[in-house]
Amino acid sequence: MTQLSFDVQLNPRARSAGEREEVLANPGFGQFFTDHMISIDWTEGRGWHDARLQPYGPLVLDPATSVFHYAQELFEGLKAYRQSGGSIVAFRPHANAARFNRSAARMAMPELPEDVFVQSLELLVQTDREWVPTTDGHSLYLRPFMIATQAALGVNHPSRTYKYMVIASPAASYFSGGVKPVSVWLSTEFTRAAPGGTGFAKCGGNYAAAFVAQRQAVQEGCDQVVWLDAFEHRWVEEMGGMNLFFVFGDRLVTPTLTGTLLPGITRDSILSIAAELGLRPEEGKISIEDWQSACESGELTEVFACGTAAVVTPVGSVKGADRGWAVGDGTPGPVTMKIREELVGIQYGFRPDTRDWIHKIC
Ligand SMILES: *Cc1c(COP(=O)(O)O)cnc(C)c1O
């Protein structure tokens, strides 16, 4: 087991219990951060070094730092949950560590030993454990990321130095007023990812290129954009930053991981628990024509998106440049809700964790 030794610098200006409670009363998502952060540096030849926990605060970087120019960057997202017995746990953090390294390989960035990734989360959560909300459905969102830090504009090689960091942000339940189906816009004008590109990597560049399509979805009166394949703009890939599932009676279908989709850990978890819930999980191809006709024939009863932030979100209606249709009756379907309850149940500890997905932190 690889472990680094972390230098611990506690924050002399850590917020008081009162200030913290005020934030935790209404945390929103990604707006407030805890008192500490993790930083580990990497240099060619020397590897990972200077691991530390330090007060949360701004970075000072040279304007020539390569991440600002060439976007050599990647991130992860997972949550720490306070379970009913009081323990604080993470959900499948080793899966995030493995995905972090697959993203790193694609972005020509150094890999971080999985144990060090998990160790860094543990240290931050232990130190800032008072920031893990106690409110039902709330959690502490963890954001590990890595940036290229070499101050040089040459484009013929990747950066020779990097910084890995973890920050943490208390998060309210995504659906404060109950689970509500979203409306989606089929993007035929823009492409998120193409074969050979970075679609499977959790890198900021994928998001930078997606905002214009998300804005178009909103202009079309929809909540979210649905991405289609790059060649035919016909095969369904993902919804915004979430994976999609299609419910045909007891058949549960999700688009195959072709390299252009982000391999969600929530997606993988749902495929794994589906059989126990009486469903037949399968990976396959779904075209927008099939999506529409199966909704109209009543064969396709529910569609939902899944990801760490919102867990499971029903899709209620679909709109494209030349078509539009409803999914189900516009209310969250029974299969969607059953899967949601099972996953949330495992995360918060009121359903058994039979797969060793729950990683106790403190
Ligand atoms: C992070 C992400 C997901 C969901 O992954 P989870 O591990 O389930 O949170 C899906 N699609 C995209 C584009 C993402 O960035």
Side-chain angles (χ1 to χ4, degrees), residues 75-78 91 95-96 99 141 143 192 199-203 206-207 227 237-244 260-270 306-311:
F75 65 95
E76 268 302 326
L78 72 163
F91 183 70
N96 292 89
R99 185 171 67 188
Y141 183 77
R143 169 52 62 87
R192 190 187 86 94
F200 69 89
K202 215 166 169 74
C203 64
N206 289 342
Y207 279 76
W227 298 106
E237 299 208 324
E238 293 191 62
M239 180 191 94
M242 302 175 81
N243 296 112
L244 283 166
T260 55
L261 280 74
L262 197 292
I265 292 159
T266 318
R267 174 190 179 279
D268 183 74
S269 306
I270 291 172
C306 66
T308 296
V311 197

Side-chain angles (χ1 to χ4, degrees), residues 78-81 88-93 142 357-361:
L78 72 163
K79 287 172 167 178
Y81 306 87
I88 297 170
V89 307
F91 183 70
R92 306 188 66 185
L142 305 174
W357 281 347
I358 295 302
H359 180 88
K360 185 170 177 199
I361 295 179

Side-chain angles (χ1 to χ4, degrees), residues 246-317:
F246 296 78
V247 182
F248 297 87
D250 69 349
R251 262 176 74 223
L252 183 65
V253 187
T254 191
T256 308
L257 298 178
T258 54
T260 55
L261 280 74
L262 197 292
I265 292 159
T266 318
R267 174 190 179 279
D268 183 74
S269 306
I270 291 172
L271 285 174
S272 159
I273 62 174
E276 263 166 47
L277 301 177
L279 298 160
R280 289 182 292 135
E282 110 191 24
E283 297 176 88
K285 276 179 94 168
I286 290 141
S287 69
I288 52 179
E289 295 83 10
D290 291 346
W291 185 353
Q292 179 170 12
S293 63
C295 278
E296 287 167 357
S297 71
E299 199 193 336
L300 174 55
T301 45
E302 301 174 37
V303 177
F304 64 85
C306 66
T308 296
V311 197
V312 164
T313 305
V315 175
S317 63

Side-chain angles (χ1 to χ4, degrees), residues 138 172-181 332 337 340:
H138 291 205
S173 166
Y174 200 83
F175 296 99
S176 38
V179 178
K180 276 198 301 286
M337 293 312 282
R340 179 182 173 80

Side-chain angles (χ1 to χ4, degrees), residues 13 19-20 28 74 97 116 140 253 258 272 360:
R13 291 163 195 269
E19 288 168 310
R20 197 173 54 234
L74 58 87
V116 174
L140 184 66
V253 187
T258 54
S272 159
K360 185 170 177 199

